Amino acid sequence: MLHIDKIIQDVRKCKIVPENDIQELCFLAQELLIQESNIQLVDPPVTICGDIHGQLHDLLRLFKISNEPPHTKYLFLGDFVDRGFYSLETFLLLLCYKVRYPDRIFLIRGNHESRQITSVYGFYDECMRKYGSANVWRYCCDVFDYLALGAYILSGASADGGVLCVHGGLSPAIETIDEIRLIDRKQEVPHDGLMCDLLWSDPEENIPAWAVSPRGAGYLFGYTETERFLFKNNLSLIARAHQLVMEGYKEVFDGGLVTVWSAPNYCYRCGNVAAVLTLDDNLNRNYTVFDSMLQDCSEIPSKKPVADYFL
């Protein structure tokens, strides 16, 4: 029998979890996640978190500030792994909470929840270093394929429309939320198409409609397209992550879209603060900004982060 609470205690202390326990945890998580929709319905109040990128100690600080699960309901917008030194522990902790409290924590897929990206930007190497094989990495990548592509937050107490949450942004090929529900999400993130756009696209204030993204995947989208999507889908807000914001969060397009970033001092050197967005029962917004967790030098491995990638 899997002891979830013990795994939670161990990963919080950065202790190695037996490979067999990780395999069983990943299977349990898949059984839960497969029951969720591509766009998972989440009732408010909820706290929305952006990229974490393996910064375990900052995730623990986030939980300390906003309360531990299950006391607070959380929605994480992807990019749990890569860049930071504790990607595995970060992802395992979130999976444990998902299995332990399935209705109090929701995880959606980011562009880094991908075999190709994690092979280059840290997570694969971390698993190899800690376990001497790629098995644990494969178990986690299999879970990635089951993660939802977004979430929809709706309040019966608010007449202003719901909130759509995705990792990246919009797609020129998607006009309605229902179209996202028809995507076959159980696959590696493709290089183009609807699923790719949701995970890779970015808002851009200086363009009227659509433009090619400099990332090499997804699109840039402007005010007009955002307003059109909000109106057509009766939305008051699109909440997304995916881009470093030095102030922790940034609202654009007359408050119709917000970027939330939850990895303070990203890559242990960017100097940014982080934030989470809490929506109350009426979908009123409250941002909590926090700094990086001060860590003992012995807690950070000497291995340097990999090369810059789309900061």
Side-chain angles (χ1 to χ4, degrees), residues 246-269:
M246 295 302 292
E247 301 82 10
Y249 70 95
K250 182 180 181 181
E251 291 188 352
V252 294
F253 306 149
D254 294 335
L257 183 143
V258 63
T259 298
V260 181
W261 185 266
S262 301
N265 194 27
Y266 180 42
C267 294
Y268 311 110
R269 60 182 171 80

PDB file of all heavy atoms in Angstrom, residues 246-269:
ATOM      1  N   MET A 246       8.347  40.278 -13.905  1.00  0.00           N
ATOM      2  CA  MET A 246       9.206  40.708 -12.799  1.00  0.00           C
ATOM      3  C   MET A 246       8.406  41.094 -11.567  1.00  0.00           C
ATOM      4  O   MET A 246       8.862  40.947 -10.434  1.00  0.00           O
ATOM      5  CB  MET A 246      10.076  41.879 -13.240  1.00  0.00           C
ATOM      6  CG  MET A 246      11.089  41.538 -14.334  1.00  0.00           C
ATOM      7  SD  MET A 246      12.223  40.202 -13.877  1.00  0.00           S
ATOM      8  CE  MET A 246      13.186  41.015 -12.589  1.00  0.00           C
ATOM      9  N   GLU A 247       7.172  41.589 -11.776  1.00  0.00           N
ATOM     10  CA  GLU A 247       6.317  42.009 -10.663  1.00  0.00           C
ATOM     11  C   GLU A 247       5.443  40.872 -10.139  1.00  0.00           C
ATOM     12  O   GLU A 247       4.613  41.087  -9.255  1.00  0.00           O
ATOM     13  CB  GLU A 247       5.427  43.170 -11.105  1.00  0.00           C
ATOM     14  CG  GLU A 247       6.182  44.395 -11.581  1.00  0.00           C
ATOM     15  CD  GLU A 247       6.638  44.269 -13.035  1.00  0.00           C
ATOM     16  OE1 GLU A 247       6.197  43.301 -13.717  1.00  0.00           O
ATOM     17  OE2 GLU A 247       7.438  45.105 -13.488  1.00  0.00           O
ATOM     18  N   GLY A 248       5.561  39.675 -10.708  1.00  0.00           N
ATOM     19  CA  GLY A 248       4.782  38.525 -10.254  1.00  0.00           C
ATOM     20  C   GLY A 248       3.490  38.316 -11.021  1.00  0.00           C
ATOM     21  O   GLY A 248       3.065  37.186 -11.226  1.00  0.00           O
ATOM     22  N   TYR A 249       2.859  39.390 -11.435  1.00  0.00           N
ATOM     23  CA  TYR A 249       1.648  39.282 -12.255  1.00  0.00           C
ATOM     24  C   TYR A 249       1.519  40.543 -13.104  1.00  0.00           C
ATOM     25  O   TYR A 249       2.076  41.593 -12.772  1.00  0.00           O
ATOM     26  CB  TYR A 249       0.395  39.103 -11.396  1.00  0.00           C
ATOM     27  CG  TYR A 249      -0.018  40.325 -10.607  1.00  0.00           C
ATOM     28  CD1 TYR A 249      -0.971  41.221 -11.104  1.00  0.00           C
ATOM     29  CD2 TYR A 249       0.546  40.604  -9.366  1.00  0.00           C
ATOM     30  CE1 TYR A 249      -1.349  42.345 -10.390  1.00  0.00           C
ATOM     31  CE2 TYR A 249       0.178  41.730  -8.639  1.00  0.00           C
ATOM     32  CZ  TYR A 249      -0.766  42.590  -9.160  1.00  0.00           C
ATOM     33  OH  TYR A 249      -1.138  43.716  -8.460  1.00  0.00           O
ATOM     34  N   LYS A 250       0.775  40.413 -14.208  1.00  0.00           N
ATOM     35  CA  LYS A 250       0.575  41.556 -15.093  1.00  0.00           C
ATOM     36  C   LYS A 250      -0.763  41.430 -15.797  1.00  0.00           C
ATOM     37  O   LYS A 250      -1.006  40.442 -16.503  1.00  0.00           O
ATOM     38  CB  LYS A 250       1.698  41.645 -16.130  1.00  0.00           C
ATOM     39  CG  LYS A 250       1.581  42.853 -17.057  1.00  0.00           C
ATOM     40  CD  LYS A 250       2.723  42.885 -18.063  1.00  0.00           C
ATOM     41  CE  LYS A 250       2.616  44.113 -18.969  1.00  0.00           C
ATOM     42  NZ  LYS A 250       3.707  44.146 -19.982  1.00  0.00           N
ATOM     43  N   GLU A 251      -1.624  42.412 -15.616  1.00  0.00           N
ATOM     44  CA  GLU A 251      -2.894  42.462 -16.321  1.00  0.00           C
ATOM     45  C   GLU A 251      -2.741  43.314 -17.578  1.00  0.00           C
ATOM     46  O   GLU A 251      -2.113  44.368 -17.550  1.00  0.00           O
ATOM     47  CB  GLU A 251      -4.000  43.051 -15.433  1.00  0.00           C
ATOM     48  CG  GLU A 251      -4.405  42.156 -14.284  1.00  0.00           C
ATOM     49  CD  GLU A 251      -5.631  42.670 -13.538  1.00  0.00           C
ATOM     50  OE1 GLU A 251      -6.075  43.814 -13.839  1.00  0.00           O
ATOM     51  OE2 GLU A 251      -6.159  41.951 -12.678  1.00  0.00           O
ATOM     52  N   VAL A 252      -3.315  42.837 -18.696  1.00  0.00           N
ATOM     53  CA  VAL A 252      -3.305  43.578 -19.949  1.00  0.00           C
ATOM     54  C   VAL A 252      -4.693  43.531 -20.570  1.00  0.00           C
ATOM     55  O   VAL A 252      -5.603  42.873 -20.060  1.00  0.00           O
ATOM     56  CB  VAL A 252      -2.264  43.002 -20.941  1.00  0.00           C
ATOM     57  CG1 VAL A 252      -0.848  43.190 -20.413  1.00  0.00           C
ATOM     58  CG2 VAL A 252      -2.535  41.531 -21.227  1.00  0.00           C
ATOM     59  N   PHE A 253      -4.855  44.233 -21.683  1.00  0.00           N
ATOM     60  CA  PHE A 253      -6.102  44.247 -22.448  1.00  0.00           C
ATOM     61  C   PHE A 253      -7.301  44.648 -21.571  1.00  0.00           C
ATOM     62  O   PHE A 253      -8.301  43.936 -21.471  1.00  0.00           O
ATOM     63  CB  PHE A 253      -6.352  42.897 -23.116  1.00  0.00           C
ATOM     64  CG  PHE A 253      -5.215  42.408 -23.971  1.00  0.00           C
ATOM     65  CD1 PHE A 253      -4.964  41.045 -24.116  1.00  0.00           C
ATOM     66  CD2 PHE A 253      -4.383  43.303 -24.640  1.00  0.00           C
ATOM     67  CE1 PHE A 253      -3.919  40.591 -24.910  1.00  0.00           C
ATOM     68  CE2 PHE A 253      -3.329  42.849 -25.440  1.00  0.00           C
ATOM     69  CZ  PHE A 253      -3.093  41.486 -25.566  1.00  0.00           C
ATOM     70  N   ASP A 254      -7.146  45.783 -20.898  1.00  0.00           N
ATOM     71  CA  ASP A 254      -8.199  46.321 -20.019  1.00  0.00           C
ATOM     72  C   ASP A 254      -8.596  45.329 -18.930  1.00  0.00           C
ATOM     73  O   ASP A 254      -9.765  45.253 -18.532  1.00  0.00           O
ATOM     74  CB  ASP A 254      -9.439  46.709 -20.836  1.00  0.00           C
ATOM     75  CG  ASP A 254      -9.167  47.865 -21.782  1.00  0.00           C
ATOM     76  OD1 ASP A 254      -8.244  48.659 -21.494  1.00  0.00           O
ATOM     77  OD2 ASP A 254      -9.868  47.971 -22.806  1.00  0.00           O
ATOM     78  N   GLY A 255      -7.630  44.564 -18.447  1.00  0.00           N
ATOM     79  CA  GLY A 255      -7.899  43.604 -17.378  1.00  0.00           C
ATOM     80  C   GLY A 255      -8.547  42.319 -17.846  1.00  0.00           C
ATOM     81  O   GLY A 255      -8.945  41.499 -17.030  1.00  0.00           O
ATOM     82  N   GLY A 256      -8.608  42.115 -19.166  1.00  0.00           N
ATOM     83  CA  GLY A 256      -9.226  40.903 -19.689  1.00  0.00           C
ATOM     84  C   GLY A 256      -8.316  39.699 -19.678  1.00  0.00           C
ATOM     85  O   GLY A 256      -8.777  38.554 -19.849  1.00  0.00           O
ATOM     86  N   LEU A 257      -7.018  39.920 -19.480  1.00  0.00           N
ATOM     87  CA  LEU A 257      -6.048  38.821 -19.432  1.00  0.00           C
ATOM     88  C   LEU A 257      -4.998  39.135 -18.377  1.00  0.00           C
ATOM     89  O   LEU A 257      -4.562  40.277 -18.236  1.00  0.00           O
ATOM     90  CB  LEU A 257      -5.391  38.628 -20.798  1.00  0.00           C
ATOM     91  CG  LEU A 257      -4.403  37.464 -20.923  1.00  0.00           C
ATOM     92  CD1 LEU A 257      -4.506  36.805 -22.309  1.00  0.00           C
ATOM     93  CD2 LEU A 257      -2.957  37.928 -20.685  1.00  0.00           C
ATOM     94  N   VAL A 258      -4.601  38.096 -17.645  1.00  0.00           N
ATOM     95  CA  VAL A 258      -3.546  38.272 -16.649  1.00  0.00           C
ATOM     96  C   VAL A 258      -2.529  37.143 -16.783  1.00  0.00           C
ATOM     97  O   VAL A 258      -2.882  35.990 -17.039  1.00  0.00           O
ATOM     98  CB  VAL A 258      -4.110  38.309 -15.210  1.00  0.00           C
ATOM     99  CG1 VAL A 258      -4.772  36.983 -14.831  1.00  0.00           C
ATOM    100  CG2 VAL A 258      -3.006  38.648 -14.202  1.00  0.00           C
ATOM    101  N   THR A 259      -1.261  37.511 -16.659  1.00  0.00           N
ATOM    102  CA  THR A 259      -0.179  36.537 -16.567  1.00  0.00           C
ATOM    103  C   THR A 259       0.227  36.422 -15.102  1.00  0.00           C
ATOM    104  O   THR A 259       0.506  37.439 -14.455  1.00  0.00           O
ATOM    105  CB  THR A 259       1.038  36.965 -17.405  1.00  0.00           C
ATOM    106  OG1 THR A 259       0.648  37.037 -18.783  1.00  0.00           O
ATOM    107  CG2 THR A 259       2.175  35.973 -17.261  1.00  0.00           C
ATOM    108  N   VAL A 260       0.246  35.191 -14.594  1.00  0.00           N
ATOM    109  CA  VAL A 260       0.642  34.931 -13.208  1.00  0.00           C
ATOM    110  C   VAL A 260       1.932  34.116 -13.219  1.00  0.00           C
ATOM    111  O   VAL A 260       2.022  33.085 -13.899  1.00  0.00           O
ATOM    112  CB  VAL A 260      -0.459  34.155 -12.450  1.00  0.00           C
ATOM    113  CG1 VAL A 260      -0.031  33.914 -10.993  1.00  0.00           C
ATOM    114  CG2 VAL A 260      -1.775  34.910 -12.499  1.00  0.00           C
ATOM    115  N   TRP A 261       2.910  34.569 -12.477  1.00  0.00           N
ATOM    116  CA  TRP A 261       4.215  33.896 -12.423  1.00  0.00           C
ATOM    117  C   TRP A 261       4.539  33.586 -10.964  1.00  0.00           C
ATOM    118  O   TRP A 261       4.543  34.483 -10.115  1.00  0.00           O
ATOM    119  CB  TRP A 261       5.301  34.794 -13.016  1.00  0.00           C
ATOM    120  CG  TRP A 261       6.635  34.116 -13.089  1.00  0.00           C
ATOM    121  CD1 TRP A 261       7.637  34.166 -12.163  1.00  0.00           C
ATOM    122  CD2 TRP A 261       7.106  33.263 -14.138  1.00  0.00           C
ATOM    123  NE1 TRP A 261       8.696  33.404 -12.569  1.00  0.00           N
ATOM    124  CE2 TRP A 261       8.391  32.838 -13.786  1.00  0.00           C
ATOM    125  CE3 TRP A 261       6.556  32.830 -15.348  1.00  0.00           C
ATOM    126  CZ2 TRP A 261       9.155  31.989 -14.596  1.00  0.00           C
ATOM    127  CZ3 TRP A 261       7.306  31.988 -16.158  1.00  0.00           C
ATOM    128  CH2 TRP A 261       8.597  31.572 -15.781  1.00  0.00           C
ATOM    129  N   SER A 262       4.806  32.311 -10.656  1.00  0.00           N
ATOM    130  CA  SER A 262       4.940  31.890  -9.252  1.00  0.00           C
ATOM    131  C   SER A 262       6.305  31.309  -8.909  1.00  0.00           C
ATOM    132  O   SER A 262       6.442  30.594  -7.914  1.00  0.00           O
ATOM    133  CB  SER A 262       3.833  30.880  -8.916  1.00  0.00           C
ATOM    134  OG  SER A 262       2.554  31.451  -9.122  1.00  0.00           O
ATOM    135  N   ALA A 263       7.316  31.627  -9.713  1.00  0.00           N
ATOM    136  CA  ALA A 263       8.686  31.191  -9.416  1.00  0.00           C
ATOM    137  C   ALA A 263       9.537  32.427  -9.118  1.00  0.00           C
ATOM    138  O   ALA A 263      10.060  33.063 -10.033  1.00  0.00           O
ATOM    139  CB  ALA A 263       9.274  30.418 -10.601  1.00  0.00           C
ATOM    140  N   PRO A 264       9.669  32.800  -7.833  1.00  0.00           N
ATOM    141  CA  PRO A 264      10.459  33.997  -7.495  1.00  0.00           C
ATOM    142  C   PRO A 264      11.948  33.767  -7.751  1.00  0.00           C
ATOM    143  O   PRO A 264      12.441  32.644  -7.640  1.00  0.00           O
ATOM    144  CB  PRO A 264      10.166  34.188  -6.004  1.00  0.00           C
ATOM    145  CG  PRO A 264       9.850  32.804  -5.511  1.00  0.00           C
ATOM    146  CD  PRO A 264       9.149  32.116  -6.645  1.00  0.00           C
ATOM    147  N   ASN A 265      12.643  34.851  -8.089  1.00  0.00           N
ATOM    148  CA  ASN A 265      14.068  34.762  -8.411  1.00  0.00           C
ATOM    149  C   ASN A 265      14.315  33.587  -9.350  1.00  0.00           C
ATOM    150  O   ASN A 265      15.132  32.708  -9.097  1.00  0.00           O
ATOM    151  CB  ASN A 265      14.921  34.617  -7.142  1.00  0.00           C
ATOM    152  CG  ASN A 265      16.396  34.861  -7.414  1.00  0.00           C
ATOM    153  OD1 ASN A 265      16.764  35.587  -8.336  1.00  0.00           O
ATOM    154  ND2 ASN A 265      17.249  34.232  -6.617  1.00  0.00           N
ATOM    155  N   TYR A 266      13.596  33.611 -10.469  1.00  0.00           N
ATOM    156  CA  TYR A 266      13.604  32.533 -11.456  1.00  0.00           C
ATOM    157  C   TYR A 266      15.034  32.165 -11.860  1.00  0.00           C
ATOM    158  O   TYR A 266      15.872  33.040 -12.055  1.00  0.00           O
ATOM    159  CB  TYR A 266      12.818  32.999 -12.680  1.00  0.00           C
ATOM    160  CG  TYR A 266      12.714  32.036 -13.818  1.00  0.00           C
ATOM    161  CD1 TYR A 266      12.466  30.677 -13.605  1.00  0.00           C
ATOM    162  CD2 TYR A 266      12.843  32.483 -15.121  1.00  0.00           C
ATOM    163  CE1 TYR A 266      12.355  29.805 -14.673  1.00  0.00           C
ATOM    164  CE2 TYR A 266      12.728  31.619 -16.200  1.00  0.00           C
ATOM    165  CZ  TYR A 266      12.490  30.275 -15.963  1.00  0.00           C
ATOM    166  OH  TYR A 266      12.374  29.411 -17.026  1.00  0.00           O
ATOM    167  N   CYS A 267      15.282  30.864 -11.933  1.00  0.00           N
ATOM    168  CA  CYS A 267      16.625  30.329 -12.229  1.00  0.00           C
ATOM    169  C   CYS A 267      17.645  30.746 -11.170  1.00  0.00           C
ATOM    170  O   CYS A 267      18.848  30.699 -11.417  1.00  0.00           O
ATOM    171  CB  CYS A 267      17.100  30.751 -13.619  1.00  0.00           C
ATOM    172  SG  CYS A 267      16.148  30.076 -14.977  1.00  0.00           S
ATOM    173  N   TYR A 268      17.146  31.164  -9.997  1.00  0.00           N
ATOM    174  CA  TYR A 268      17.991  31.561  -8.875  1.00  0.00           C
ATOM    175  C   TYR A 268      18.851  32.787  -9.188  1.00  0.00           C
ATOM    176  O   TYR A 268      19.866  33.028  -8.546  1.00  0.00           O
ATOM    177  CB  TYR A 268      18.901  30.407  -8.435  1.00  0.00           C
ATOM    178  CG  TYR A 268      18.167  29.104  -8.242  1.00  0.00           C
ATOM    179  CD1 TYR A 268      18.360  28.047  -9.114  1.00  0.00           C
ATOM    180  CD2 TYR A 268      17.267  28.929  -7.193  1.00  0.00           C
ATOM    181  CE1 TYR A 268      17.677  26.843  -8.954  1.00  0.00           C
ATOM    182  CE2 TYR A 268      16.580  27.734  -7.018  1.00  0.00           C
ATOM    183  CZ  TYR A 268      16.787  26.695  -7.905  1.00  0.00           C
ATOM    184  OH  TYR A 268      16.103  25.513  -7.747  1.00  0.00           O
ATOM    185  N   ARG A 269      18.415  33.600 -10.189  1.00  0.00           N
ATOM    186  CA  ARG A 269      19.241  34.755 -10.557  1.00  0.00           C
ATOM    187  C   ARG A 269      18.477  35.907 -11.199  1.00  0.00           C
ATOM    188  O   ARG A 269      19.047  36.970 -11.418  1.00  0.00           O
ATOM    189  CB  ARG A 269      20.348  34.315 -11.521  1.00  0.00           C
ATOM    190  CG  ARG A 269      19.842  33.701 -12.817  1.00  0.00           C
ATOM    191  CD  ARG A 269      20.999  33.248 -13.712  1.00  0.00           C
ATOM    192  NE  ARG A 269      20.543  32.481 -14.856  1.00  0.00           N
ATOM    193  CZ  ARG A 269      20.039  32.995 -15.971  1.00  0.00           C
ATOM    194  NH1 ARG A 269      19.912  34.302 -16.089  1.00  0.00           N
ATOM    195  NH2 ARG A 269      19.661  32.220 -16.967  1.00  0.00           N
TER     196      ARG A 269
END
